[in-house]
């Protein structure tokens, strides 16, 4: 991939938090949603690959959201004609907070919809400036003393964290306002616990490009390079 001054989406989220700002503008989230869906549709449909680790760290942004790209396909897995990872020796790596239930359960079936769950959480990151199920820990210029570190460790409820993994994190949609309605709907449909209820990347792409309802399957798959 050519280098052109890109930053990871995660870097931008952290920077926004440090500046005391709130959610990214809805237009920026919609642009990320569209371009990442386009990338996933290409991977799933054209290359028959599961990205395997969708999250804000693996989305790169150039300038003021001039370009949006997916990166790091080092843990991608081959998909069969039914969009399933059928190789019994293949291991889904992912990153824990972005994993859906099927990726956390032993013997869970991994499909293209596993990427879709993590995609939904990536949009959630942009709306909340947080990490799924665990708020980002802010760095105070590396001067955090031992007492503060001990306090963080003591307040962390590990059991509650693991119980929440694979579920849809809370979102205060009312506080976001009406301009976020579209991305909120997309977040909800992509983070359904049942993979069959999640849309495919192609369905998301067509819905976003045509402003169609997100729960309606497209009549045909549109491939966009």
């Amino acid at each position: 991939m050519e280098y052109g001054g890109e930053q990871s989406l995660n870097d931008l989220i952290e920077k926004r938090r440090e500046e005391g700002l709130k959610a990214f503008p809805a237009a920026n989230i919609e642009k990320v949603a569209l371009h990442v869906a386009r990338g996933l549709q290409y991977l799933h449909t054209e290359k028959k690959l599961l990205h395997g680790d969708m999250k804000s760290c693996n989305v790169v942004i150039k300038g003021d959201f001039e370009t949006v790209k997916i990166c790091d396909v080092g843990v991608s897995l081959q998909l069969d004609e039914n969009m399933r990872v059928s190789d019994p020796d293949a291991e889904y790596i992912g990153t824990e907070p972005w994993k859906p239930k099927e990726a956390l359960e032993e013997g869970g079936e991994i499909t293209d919809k596993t990427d879709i769950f993590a995609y939904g959480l990536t949009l959630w990151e942009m709306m909340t400036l947080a990490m799924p199920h665990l708020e980002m820990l802010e760095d105070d210029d590396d001067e955090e003393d031992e007492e503060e570190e001990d306090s963080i460790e003591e307040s962390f409820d590990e059991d509650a964290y693991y119980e929440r993994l694979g579920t849809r994190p809370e979102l205060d949609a009312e506080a976001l306002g009406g301009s976020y309605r579209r991305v909120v709907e997309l977040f909800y449909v992509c983070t359904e616990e049942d993979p069959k209820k999640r849309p495919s990347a192609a369905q998301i792409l067509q819905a976003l490009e045509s402003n169609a309802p997100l729960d309606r399957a497209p009549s045909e798959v549109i491939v966009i390079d």
Side-chain angles (χ1 to χ4, degrees):
M1 184 179 68
E2 73 276 10
Y3 176 74
E6 292 97 343
Q7 297 182 77
S8 80
L9 178 58
N10 181 256
D11 288 339
L12 297 179
I13 289 171
E14 290 188 346
K15 187 180 297 184
R16 198 169 178 86
R17 276 178 60 89
E18 289 168 1
E19 293 172 353
L21 300 173
K22 300 204 177 196
F24 284 86
N28 287 349
I29 303 176
E30 288 181 22
K31 186 166 187 179
V32 170
L34 174 64
H35 286 271
V36 173
R38 187 171 291 161
L40 289 177
Q41 188 266 354
Y42 176 76
L43 284 175
H44 296 170
T45 306
E46 292 292 290
K47 296 299 183 181
K48 289 292 188 291
L49 285 175
L50 183 80
H51 181 279
D53 197 17
M54 270 307 310
K55 56 184 178 180
S56 62
C57 292
N58 290 334
V59 176
V60 290
I61 311 293
K62 180 180 178 182
D64 187 19
F65 293 87
E66 294 163 24
T67 62
V68 181
K69 302 175 185 177
I70 300 174
C71 67
D72 193 0
V73 290
V75 293
S76 62
L77 297 172
Q78 197 70 45
L79 294 167
D80 64 18
E81 65 276 7
N82 297 311
M83 293 293 180
R84 297 188 182 97
V85 175
S86 55
D87 182 352
D89 296 324
E91 180 184 359
Y92 179 81
I93 305 296
T95 303
E96 203 168 59
W98 288 264
K99 286 184 178 182
K101 286 286 188 186
E102 67 267 20
L104 293 162
E105 297 170 349
E106 187 174 348
E109 185 176 69
I110 306 300
T111 69
D112 61 319
K113 304 299 182 65
T114 305
D115 270 350
I116 299 303
F117 186 90
Y119 163 84
L121 292 188
T122 303
L123 303 182
W124 179 89
E125 290 182 77
M126 294 189 73
M127 290 185 274
T128 64
L129 309 185
M131 192 166 74
H133 312 300
L134 181 67
E135 287 191 358
M136 291 181 182
L137 300 178
E138 295 183 22
D139 294 325
D140 295 328
D141 298 325
D142 296 325
E143 293 182 0
E144 192 173 43
D145 60 33
E146 291 183 6
E147 289 183 8
E148 289 175 330
E149 291 178 357
D150 291 341
S151 176
I152 290 170
E153 290 178 5
E154 289 172 6
S155 64
F156 177 59
D157 188 337
E158 188 173 1
D159 291 338
Y161 165 71
Y162 280 105
E163 188 175 333
R164 288 196 302 267
L165 286 180
T167 66
R168 178 191 292 138
E170 293 182 2
L171 178 68
D172 190 347
E174 187 174 340
L176 286 169
S179 63
Y180 290 83
R181 180 187 62 82
R182 190 79 173 146
V183 290
V184 168
E185 288 178 355
L186 182 55
F187 157 69
Y188 273 98
V189 74
C190 289
T191 53
E192 288 281 359
E193 186 171 325
D194 182 353
K196 294 178 182 177
K197 292 182 179 179
R198 301 173 207 151
S200 67
Q203 289 171 338
I204 293 169
L205 183 58
Q206 182 160 329
L208 289 174
E209 290 183 329
S210 65
N211 206 31
L214 291 164
D215 58 353
R216 183 180 301 169
S219 56
E220 59 182 296
V221 173
I222 298 177
V223 176
I224 299 178
D225 294 329

